Amino acid sequence: MSITLTDQDRPELQKAIEEIVESGFTGVTMRVHDERGEWVGSAGQRKLGETAKPTTNGHVRIGSNTKTFTATVVLQLVAEGTVGLDVSVADYLPEFGLDPKITVRMLLQHTSGVFNFTGEYYDDGTFAPGIPATTAGKEWVDNRFKTYRPQELVQLALSKPARFEPGTDWSYSNTNYVLAKLLIEQVTGSSLAEEMQRLILGPLGLSGTVVPDTSPEIPEPHTHAYYRYTDAGRQKTVDVTRQNPSWISTGGDMISTTLDLHMFISALMGGKLLPAPLLAEMCKPHPKVGYGLGVFVQDAGENGGTVITHNGGMAGHGALMYSTPDGSKTLTAALNYVDDAALSLAEAFQKATQRLVKEVFGGGQAGSADAAESAQ
């Protein structure tokens, strides 16, 4: 049994999360597992206007960390012989008329070239909108309980020009992971939630993790999430803790806790979920940005070695998940904040991440690609 340390034992960690709150976040909870045992701490407020700190076992919408869970399920189905990693996705999902060159691997690695249904940022600085996502201000607020079918999100994406020929470049697209969800459901005849339960949540005992589909609820306890927007020239801040996450679907809809994220990434990197050859494929980085199959592979700087990570932001909720390649040292965190259409906390999010990685893993410029990955 690991020892739980208090903030007095690791004052530098408590100081780091308190400074993150000072940089603009409403609440932060962090969990570190390393050779010194387990440390858990929190800072900030559970709810605006109240003094209670976030609970250390609170639930959070984990945003794009959902992609790591989803990629793991796909790779587990590859291990079972149900899915081929280098098979054309069109063989499994013929109804979309996908480019036959797009393989399952390309979905997981974001090399398919398929348009991102939450909107695309182009190299020249232009933005092509998709569905009303958190970049849409009042329109997103007004639509936050609407149900989107995953097929709708895919069809919207496919109605837009592809970014590049499949396999020739890298571009982060939530659409890839909605296609992965539909593929899982097509080949297994079960829902993604059922397959996630069978392959990951059940075996690891992740009782705090939820695949919500269209439900707006988030289990108690949780820290609140907020969104700021302009309506008729006036700025408003609303509590968006409850929202129908079908607008992002498998691009970032899951809910978890810092403990469950630790147990998941530690088991995954420790070889408990995938056979060694498939885990090696997962952690093989694309040369452009160091993205494997559902994970970023990053250098934690001087003496820090390699870290395997995915982070996510989702309308006032954020989650960090970092591990050494053997799963022996992990950092997981839940962040809550006031989101807005300008994504004005993106830079603070990135700086906070770099600070924590440096503190826990030593050295450190890790997090350079993380701005790309908040679920827009």
Side-chain angles (χ1 to χ4, degrees), residues 71-89:
T72 302
V73 170
V74 171
L75 292 170
Q76 287 170 313
L77 294 174
V78 171
E80 290 181 355
T82 316
V83 172
L85 196 49
D86 294 302
V87 172
S88 171
V89 179

Side-chain angles (χ1 to χ4, degrees), residues 187-240:
V187 300
T188 63
S190 307
S191 69
L192 174 62
E194 288 167 331
E195 286 301 295
M196 197 79 74
Q197 185 63 37
R198 176 177 78 89
L199 292 165
I200 301 176
L201 311 185
L204 296 183
L206 304 187
S207 57
T209 301
V210 181
V211 183
D213 195 30
T214 60
S215 169
E217 306 307 326
I218 177 169
E220 290 281 4
H222 56 256
T223 298
H224 287 247
Y226 299 91
Y227 187 84
R228 182 174 52 228
Y229 67 105
T230 304
D231 183 15
R234 292 178 57 196
Q235 217 173 58
K236 295 185 175 178
T237 298
V238 288
D239 188 320
V240 294

Side-chain angles (χ1 to χ4, degrees), residues 34 53 72 75 88 100 114 120 167 199 220 223 240-241 244 253 359:
D34 60 14
K53 285 202 326 188
T72 302
L75 292 170
S88 171
V114 171
E120 279 284 12
L199 292 165
E220 290 281 4
T223 298
V240 294
T241 311
N244 180 335
D253 63 359
E359 204 68 70

Side-chain angles (χ1 to χ4, degrees), residues 118-370:
T118 49
E120 279 284 12
Y121 290 89
Y122 290 96
D123 296 341
D124 63 3
T126 56
F127 175 70
I131 60 151
T134 49
T135 47
K138 182 177 186 296
E139 193 184 358
W140 179 78
V141 172
D142 291 346
N143 277 285
R144 74 185 184 278
F145 294 109
K146 178 178 171 177
T147 292
Y148 292 89
R149 290 171 60 251
Q151 291 84 351
E152 274 179 78
L153 303 176
V154 170
Q155 280 155 354
L156 169 79
L158 295 177
S159 74
K160 311 275 186 175
R163 284 200 71 147
F164 48 79
E165 277 287 302
T168 62
D169 202 349
W170 185 91
S171 182
Y172 194 87
S173 173
N174 290 308
T175 313
N176 289 317
Y177 276 78
V178 179
L179 282 163
K181 166 194 165 81
L182 293 169
L183 184 149
I184 290 163
E185 294 181 341
Q186 177 63 38
V187 300
T188 63
S190 307
S191 69
L192 174 62
E194 288 167 331
E195 286 301 295
M196 197 79 74
Q197 185 63 37
R198 176 177 78 89
L199 292 165
I200 301 176
L201 311 185
L204 296 183
L206 304 187
S207 57
T209 301
V210 181
V211 183
D213 195 30
T214 60
S215 169
E217 306 307 326
I218 177 169
E220 290 281 4
H222 56 256
T223 298
H224 287 247
Y226 299 91
Y227 187 84
R228 182 174 52 228
Y229 67 105
T230 304
D231 183 15
R234 292 178 57 196
Q235 217 173 58
K236 295 185 175 178
T237 298
V238 288
D239 188 320
V240 294
T241 311
R242 290 180 73 254
Q243 54 171 285
N244 180 335
S246 63
W247 69 272
I248 187 65
S249 186
T250 330
D253 63 359
M254 284 175 69
I255 294 164
S256 193
T257 64
T258 60
L259 177 59
D260 276 14
L261 289 177
H262 151 70
M263 288 165 66
F264 167 63
I265 194 69
S266 178
L268 177 61
M269 291 302 115
K272 297 192 174 82
L273 293 173
L274 293 174
L278 282 175
L279 184 59
E281 291 287 328
M282 185 181 219
C283 298
K284 199 181 287 176
H286 186 277
K288 187 169 181 178
V289 288
Y291 199 88
L293 306 180
V295 291
F296 280 93
V297 182
Q298 291 178 350
D299 177 8
E302 193 184 343
N303 307 322
T306 299
V307 289
I308 308 296
T309 174
H310 216 304
N311 298 332
M314 202 276 202
H317 297 262
L320 311 182
M321 181 171 69
Y322 286 86
S323 176
T324 48
D326 64 354
S328 64
K329 180 189 283 193
T330 65
L331 179 167
T332 55
L335 299 93
N336 289 88
Y337 50 99
V338 181
D339 204 355
D340 59 24
L343 306 176
S344 56
L345 266 180
E347 192 180 340
F349 193 96
Q350 201 172 339
K351 283 183 175 160
T353 302
Q354 289 172 357
R355 166 80 195 272
L356 294 178
V357 170
K358 188 171 182 179
E359 204 68 70
V360 174
F361 294 93
Q365 302 302 312
S368 57
D370 294 342

Side-chain angles (χ1 to χ4, degrees), residues 44-56:
Q45 306 159 274
R46 195 171 158 186
K47 195 172 183 181
L48 287 181
E50 296 183 5
T51 54
K53 285 202 326 188
T55 49
T56 54

